[in-house]
Amino acid sequence: MCIRDRYRYEHCTVTRVIDGDTFVIEVDLGFKIKTNHTFRLKGADTAETYRPRCPGEKEFGEQATQLVRSLLIGHPVVVETYKVGIYNRYIADIFYVDPDDPESGPVHSLKETLIQKQLLKRDLDCRECSYFDGCQMIEEIYKKLKLRWRDPN
């Protein structure tokens, strides 16, 4: 990817958090022109809150969503976009202001914060999930690996 393929928007505000990795952001283009677009966090995949595969995934996804809401809603962010992905969402890196030090400017990467807090889908371990019995996610993994699935019920 050429550096010219990336666009940086300095004056943005998150208006809605759909889930931990998808947001609606108002982008100020200057000259009193603003536009709202849906963005998906580049290189990060949080657990689903819409149609999760098991209650454990939903719970994990809601934790990520709550964290992102507390960090981003109504606060200034910087958006670096790369391309338009599926569902017409822009793929982007999001940088936010530390709520404890608003004078520092948008210096924190949302992706890095989700990694540090272990809130990406890759961090979800269904063996520790309180819903392990009958977890659909485990069943799907077994089927992909062509192992015999025994329903614990």
Side-chain angles (χ1 to χ4, degrees), residues 74-91:
H75 299 291
V77 295
V78 171
V79 177
E80 288 184 359
T81 62
Y82 296 89
K83 64 178 183 175
V84 177
I86 60 171
Y87 310 117
N88 206 28
R89 301 178 298 197
Y90 288 89
I91 307 302

Side-chain angles (χ1 to χ4, degrees), residues 1 21 40-44 80 82 90-94 111:
M1 173 183 304
D21 56 21
R40 184 155 196 309
L41 194 56
K42 180 178 181 268
E80 288 184 359
Y82 296 89
Y90 288 89
I91 307 302
D93 284 324
I94 310 290
K111 177 182 171 183

Side-chain angles (χ1 to χ4, degrees), residues 70-146:
S70 70
L71 294 173
L72 300 186
I73 289 285
H75 299 291
V77 295
V78 171
V79 177
E80 288 184 359
T81 62
Y82 296 89
K83 64 178 183 175
V84 177
I86 60 171
Y87 310 117
N88 206 28
R89 301 178 298 197
Y90 288 89
I91 307 302
D93 284 324
I94 310 290
F95 300 92
Y96 67 95
V97 175
D98 183 352
D100 298 328
D101 185 17
E103 299 301 316
S104 66
V107 294
H108 299 285
S109 164
L110 181 60
K111 177 182 171 183
E112 292 302 318
T113 300
L114 290 170
I115 289 170
Q116 288 172 357
K117 303 275 186 185
Q118 296 184 331
L119 289 172
L120 297 181
K121 194 181 281 187
R122 69 179 188 200
D123 299 316
L124 176 62
D125 184 357
C126 277
R127 291 177 305 218
E128 296 176 7
C129 174
S130 58
Y131 305 99
F132 181 68
D133 292 341
C135 178
Q136 294 173 5
M137 192 179 298
I138 294 295
E139 184 175 356
E140 288 176 23
I141 291 169
Y142 269 71
K143 285 179 182 175
K144 284 181 185 173
L145 296 173
K146 296 185 172 137

